Amino acid sequence: KCLRRKEVHMTTFYFVRHGHMDTSMAGKKFYKDFSYNMMTLSEKGIGQIKETAKDVRLANAELIIASPFGRTLHSAAILSKELNIDMKVETDLHEWLADAVSYDFLPDDIAEKSYKALSENEGRHPIGETCLWESAEQMKKRVMKVLDKYKDFDSVIVVCHGTLMQYVLGIPHPENGQIEVLTY
């Protein structure tokens, strides 16, 4: 009696950090507090993502999924146009949360302290402490739920954020437009 090897399907996810954001309107009009995240790319950022689109690894992707923030949507739209690939928005690909408990938008000084704690503790909540900020484990859990939806594809581009990529993929903080691969 022969044993057959079970076929395992592997999906390649190409994580792309969004391009450089245009912050010239920060704090003006409605680009205040959480609306800051609606801002799109600068000319430099547009150029970065057009350059990223030339990477041959992305040529055979079947779909682009993106965070709902302006800088990631703008990046995904450029990739979609350049590569002629459809895109979808996935809300759980959002940026790291300084307050993952109540999801409140925190003042800059408190959010910066939370980010410093994230960095100093290598993404882990200190033992015995209750923290508002989102840990690497929490980020990874929400991102993996998203990736699970696309595990039947061969190749998917994931347009998201540097901190998310850093802690979910276990890499140094990526540059704008940088590509990192996760085989799932």
Side-chain angles (χ1 to χ4, degrees):
K1 187 175 184 178
C2 294
L3 295 177
R4 285 189 183 190
R5 194 186 283 188
K6 184 179 177 184
E7 277 283 318
V8 176
H9 184 268
M10 303 293 272
T11 304
T12 303
F13 290 98
Y14 295 100
F15 280 73
V16 175
R17 182 178 179 209
H18 60 78
H20 181 265
M21 187 168 67
D22 179 359
T23 58
S24 63
M25 293 297 291
K28 299 174 185 166
K29 289 189 174 185
F30 54 86
Y31 295 112
K32 299 174 186 171
D33 299 326
F34 187 78
S35 294
Y36 175 90
N37 290 308
M38 292 174 60
M39 289 191 287
T40 58
L41 301 181
S42 64
E43 289 302 315
K44 176 182 177 181
I46 292 168
Q48 289 168 329
I49 298 303
K50 283 186 175 183
E51 194 60 34
T52 299
K54 295 175 184 175
D55 191 300
V56 295
R57 296 176 290 175
L58 305 182
N60 293 319
E62 299 164 89
L63 182 68
I64 299 168
I65 56 176
S67 158
F69 289 15
R71 57 196 180 269
T72 51
L73 290 177
H74 195 178
S75 297
I78 293 167
L79 290 170
S80 177
K81 179 180 181 268
E82 297 292 319
L83 299 168
N84 195 28
I85 301 171
D86 288 339
M87 63 176 268
K88 284 185 70 173
V89 177
E90 284 289 347
T91 57
D92 274 340
L93 293 177
H94 60 77
E95 180 61 283
W96 166 79
L97 296 170
D99 180 352
V101 176
S102 63
Y103 301 100
D104 286 332
F105 186 80
L106 300 176
D108 287 346
D109 60 329
I110 296 172
E112 287 170 15
K113 285 180 187 174
S114 292
Y115 187 77
K116 185 177 178 188
L118 170 79
S119 299
E120 288 174 351
N121 292 287
E122 299 175 339
R124 293 183 293 275
H125 290 156
I127 296 171
E129 288 186 35
T130 302
C131 301
L132 288 178
W133 51 270
E134 186 178 31
S135 69
E137 183 181 327
Q138 289 169 312
M139 277 188 275
K140 193 167 191 165
K141 190 177 287 187
R142 73 172 155 87
V143 170
M144 291 309 178
K145 279 185 187 175
V146 172
L147 300 186
D148 278 344
K149 294 186 208 177
Y150 302 97
K151 65 184 177 197
D152 292 332
F153 285 82
D154 290 327
S155 178
V156 177
I157 298 170
V158 181
V159 183
C160 58
H161 306 274
T163 302
L164 184 143
M165 288 173 65
Q166 177 182 356
Y167 287 101
V168 170
L169 302 176
I171 61 169
H173 197 84
E175 298 293 322
N176 295 106
Q178 183 172 324
I179 301 169
E180 292 293 332
V181 180
L182 174 67
T183 303
Y184 187 69

